[in-house]
Amino acid sequence: MSNDEIRQAEKRGYSKGYLAGRRLKKRKDEQESRRRERQAFLDRAFLSILPAAMNAQGWTFGDTPISSTQDRVKLARRWAEEALKQRPFV
């Protein structure tokens, strides 16, 4: 192999590595964007549902009645998580 052929092979290798790194970064950026979007939806849903959970009467977790603030916040969180699961993805 001549020096010119070696340099060309090195350039190809660098180019492939560079492109692979760009694809990986793009994929990670897209995943982070989806994660932030899901978290933002969950936050909005939780804050929207919290007043209803605070006023819920007669609800239970299994056989345990929901009466404390902590239980009511837990109920709102569960509702928000369920809303996220049911959310259509476009």
Side-chain angles (χ1 to χ4, degrees):
M1 250 185 164
S2 71
N3 284 342
D4 208 27
E5 292 172 330
I6 291 172
R7 274 190 238 119
Q8 287 177 349
E10 287 174 346
K11 282 183 182 180
R12 282 191 305 274
Y14 174 80
S15 178
K16 287 181 180 181
Y18 177 78
L19 290 175
R22 298 272 299 171
R23 283 191 300 269
L24 179 63
K25 182 177 180 344
K26 182 180 178 184
R27 189 169 45 248
K28 285 183 177 181
D29 289 348
E30 289 170 351
Q31 288 172 345
E32 179 61 19
S33 177
R34 280 192 301 274
R35 188 200 65 77
R36 281 192 312 264
E37 181 183 321
R38 290 173 57 86
Q39 185 62 50
F41 177 87
L42 187 61
D43 293 345
R44 287 189 310 271
F46 175 78
L47 291 174
S48 297
I49 293 168
L50 190 56
M54 286 301 186
N55 291 319
Q57 299 296 320
W59 288 72
T60 62
F61 286 126
D63 294 331
T64 309
I66 297 173
S67 56
S68 71
T69 300
Q70 184 179 7
D71 289 342
R72 293 172 189 283
V73 170
K74 185 176 168 183
L75 178 63
R77 188 189 76 230
R78 286 186 178 181
W79 285 346
E81 289 170 351
E82 188 59 34
L84 180 62
K85 288 178 190 174
Q86 299 295 323
R87 178 180 178 222
F89 292 102
V90 220

